[in-house]
Amino acid sequence: TKSLPKGVLQTLVQNAAAELPRRWSAELTAGTKPITLLRRVRELQTARLTGPEVHFTHLDSLADGPINACGEQLQVLRSNYAIIETAKRLRNCAASFATRVEDKEYVLVSMVDTKTGAPKALGGVNVSRAGNDSQRVVSDFWDQVVEHSNTKPSPATQTAFDAYLPSICSNVIK
């Protein structure tokens, strides 16, 4: 493994320690393993995002996709809890996009197994201003589509996301 330049890890740990609750600060020293630091920072991010459930009503006009022959459906993630849960289950950083979704700058769509409720993949698409500041339009290409642990999607998954995108990119979000 590649090591960080001298002092970089210590600076990261000190900066993170300033952000973390006091009960963790004593645990973090210059000798803290990077994985421990990463876990602590992720816990803090989740705690900040969780709070009360926030429903993103501006996404209500976007329809979910149809259920395919495999029992999978593309579903717009319409709350901070849905985003956080999907991020946990897919082991990716989707939770960090919750603020952008809330600010009407991004849309997250999850491919879900309708029998188990388990997410299989996640796609993100940018939203841009249209006309006046109160209207926004969904982009006509995916910013990213990933499966578990940010792995590249299978061709079938990518095809499903690509086929679904036109149904939401023509929508205006208010």
Side-chain angles (χ1 to χ4, degrees):
T1 61
K2 223 177 191 180
S3 62
L4 295 171
K6 188 174 182 174
V8 172
L9 181 58
Q10 182 175 358
T11 302
L12 288 171
V13 169
Q14 288 170 344
N15 291 343
E19 291 284 320
L20 296 172
R22 285 191 186 133
R23 67 184 172 90
W24 290 340
S25 295
E27 297 175 28
L28 300 176
T29 64
T32 300
K33 293 181 181 178
I35 192 68
T36 302
L37 175 63
L38 180 61
R39 284 185 188 127
R40 297 291 192 256
V41 171
R42 283 186 178 159
E43 286 176 23
L44 179 62
Q45 286 175 331
T46 300
R48 280 186 185 161
L49 291 172
T50 304
E53 183 168 16
V54 177
H55 180 80
F56 306 131
T57 56
H58 62 278
L59 299 177
D60 288 343
S61 64
L62 303 180
D64 292 335
I67 299 172
N68 67 18
C70 299
E72 299 163 336
Q73 181 182 34
L74 291 170
Q75 299 176 353
V76 176
L77 300 181
R78 293 182 175 86
S79 76
N80 59 334
Y81 280 21
I83 293 170
I84 292 166
E85 182 62 24
T86 300
K88 279 184 196 175
R89 294 177 81 176
L90 288 177
R91 293 180 166 247
N92 66 26
C93 64
S96 66
F97 287 88
T99 303
R100 288 189 62 204
V101 174
E102 185 174 13
D103 292 342
K104 302 179 183 179
E105 296 173 352
Y106 209 71
V107 176
L108 288 169
V109 177
S110 178
M111 177 179 275
V112 177
D113 181 328
T114 58
K115 295 172 189 118
T116 65
K120 177 184 176 188
L122 184 73
V125 63
N126 287 300
V127 177
S128 58
R129 296 181 194 279
N132 61 44
D133 284 347
S134 66
Q135 294 183 335
R136 297 168 188 259
V137 171
V138 177
S139 175
D140 60 354
F141 61 91
W142 292 104
D143 179 43
Q144 61 181 335
V145 176
V146 295
E147 290 187 355
H148 194 270
S149 299
N150 286 334
T151 57
K152 184 178 176 181
S154 70
T157 297
Q158 185 68 54
T159 300
F161 274 88
D162 290 344
Y164 172 71
L165 186 58
S167 71
I168 64 168
C169 73
S170 60
N171 284 283
V172 174
I173 298 174
K174 294 181 182 180

